[in-house]
Amino acid sequence: MTDEKIFYFVGVTTNQSKINQLFPLWMKVLGREDVVIRGIDHPLNHTPEAYRRSVDHIKTAPNVLGALVTAHKLNMLAASHDLFDFLDPLAEEIDEISCISKPYGKLFGFAKDPITAGKALHDIVGNGYFGKTGGEICCFGAGGAAVALLRYLMQQADSNDKPKQFTAVDILPERLNHMNIVSQKSHHGMVVNLVHSHSAAENDKILDSLPENSIVINATGLGKDRPGSPLTETAVFPKNGIVWEFNYRGERPFYQLALSQKDTQNLQIEDGWDYFIHGWSEVIAEVLDFDLTDALYQELKTVANTIRA
């Protein structure tokens, strides 16, 4: 079709994502069947030149409407900052982009993840969870998704809606350093504990130190883009806790370990499906310029659930 418009998905293994099935169904709901999705795959930590070429193509190709970016949010912006005509305040603050749009022929970049991470967390815990339970958050992985969740919690005015301590664990010190910079930009009242860990065995010990009712997150990508888990098979989740696997596909041994302890530890177990729906719907609304009302979101979620299996 000569008049088709392209929406790009920038990731690692984009052809494996459910969005390839879901996107045309959503475009039918939105009356935008002229828009098709195409993937751009980069290996993790690709070269700045490669990221820049991708952004330049999105900017200059007349039939490209924009893009959603996963896995490369920090690196892509670092390599192409000067190509953008506008960056939203969150993108400037946390130095990442998850959404690229082209209103008026200009290149706009947005950090949507603090919004979508917050919506996904609220779906899981509702209001006042941390005040009621005293639970903390321990996030394995300190990349873009983890920074986005921290940034969402930082802006919560009610102390009952954020933990007293947020622990982020990563093998890469530069990610922890970046999270520290973000954390220091406001007086949010949380203790942000940044842990440079080299092994799953070390991570197990961190898990042992958490109080009951804590939320334990896998934001490493392990189990989806790369095999493995941030924990060993003998790790024990905190009693009455919430285990949140940000991945919704792949082998996900972290998720499977949680399932094996669901009854003994009385766990609430969540995966990344609702986060996936929130993330994609927010970015598509920005790129295609429509109002994502609660009613429309529920319609899109209902359609998405038909392909979940």
Side-chain angles (χ1 to χ4, degrees):
M1 293 175 57
T2 57
D3 58 345
E4 74 177 12
K5 304 296 184 183
I6 295 175
F7 184 110
Y8 275 119
F9 171 22
V10 184
V12 179
T13 53
T14 56
N15 66 322
Q16 296 179 25
S17 175
K18 285 281 189 182
I19 196 61
N20 296 293
Q21 296 171 254
L22 180 56
F23 193 88
L25 302 179
W26 276 1
M27 291 306 102
K28 187 173 183 179
V29 170
L30 297 170
R32 292 300 309 269
E33 291 172 275
D34 60 317
V35 182
V36 299
I37 190 167
R38 297 285 184 266
I40 298 176
D41 284 356
H42 288 283
L44 292 170
N45 298 313
H46 208 182
T47 65
E49 294 79 14
Y51 289 128
R52 190 174 178 86
R53 282 195 299 272
S54 292
V55 174
D56 186 62
H57 172 67
I58 292 167
K59 180 174 185 175
T60 58
N63 63 330
V64 174
L65 300 178
L68 178 143
V69 181
T70 65
H72 312 288
K73 303 179 188 78
L74 295 165
N75 290 339
M76 182 160 275
L77 181 57
S80 60
H81 194 287
D82 61 299
L83 295 179
F84 285 88
D85 300 295
F86 169 81
L87 293 170
D88 82 319
L90 274 175
E92 292 278 19
E93 179 183 333
I94 63 178
D95 295 319
E96 70 169 51
I97 49 166
S98 58
C99 171
I100 301 174
S101 68
K102 295 171 63 176
Y104 325 111
K106 303 291 186 180
L107 195 70
F108 281 34
F110 300 87
K112 292 288 186 181
D113 277 8
I115 299 169
T116 57
K119 288 184 176 182
L121 178 64
H122 189 268
D123 286 350
I124 294 170
V125 302
N127 295 323
Y129 176 83
F130 299 102
K132 295 172 191 172
T133 67
E136 298 177 2
I137 288 182
C138 178
C139 186
F140 293 105
V147 171
L149 180 60
L150 174 63
R151 180 61 183 78
Y152 165 77
L153 292 166
M154 286 167 57
Q155 68 188 19
Q156 299 311 299
D158 189 337
S159 61
N160 292 313
D161 288 327
K162 53 190 171 187
K164 291 183 178 178
Q165 179 160 294
F166 182 104
T167 298
V169 184
D170 207 290
I171 195 170
L172 296 176
E174 57 266 31
R175 287 182 182 165
L176 297 168
N177 291 339
H178 175 64
M179 182 170 276
N180 184 50
I181 292 169
V182 171
S183 171
Q184 292 180 359
K185 290 184 177 180
S186 75
H187 299 289
H188 46 72
M190 292 181 292
V191 174
V192 178
N193 181 31
L194 304 175
V195 182
H196 184 209
S197 175
H198 297 85
S199 71
E202 291 181 45
N203 294 345
D204 288 1
K205 294 177 182 178
I206 296 167
L207 206 63
D208 291 340
S209 69
L210 297 174
E212 292 187 13
N213 303 298
S214 289
I215 301 175
V216 183
I217 299 169
N218 178 24
T220 65
L222 289 172
K224 184 189 79 167
D225 296 325
R226 295 167 289 150
S229 167
L231 300 172
T232 74
E233 294 179 353
T234 60
V236 179
F237 290 100
K239 277 192 174 294
N240 307 315
I242 297 173
V243 179
W244 191 5
E245 165 64 82
F246 273 9
N247 301 324
Y248 73 88
R249 61 179 173 90
E251 294 184 358
R252 301 183 301 171
F254 178 93
Y255 185 75
Q256 298 302 323
L257 179 65
L259 288 176
S260 73
Q261 298 176 24
K262 179 177 173 61
D263 294 331
T264 57
Q265 297 299 97
N266 190 34
L267 301 176
Q268 177 183 340
I269 303 172
E270 306 287 345
D271 69 3
W273 184 248
D274 283 354
Y275 196 171
F276 166 81
I277 297 171
H278 277 301
W280 273 98
S281 58
E282 286 284 340
V283 172
I284 290 172
E286 184 68 51
V287 173
L288 300 189
D289 191 24
F290 64 85
D291 184 16
L292 185 63
T293 64
D294 289 342
L296 179 55
Y297 172 78
Q298 290 302 324
E299 184 177 2
L300 295 176
K301 182 176 180 179
T302 298
V303 171
N305 286 340
T306 65
I307 66 159
R308 177 75 201 269

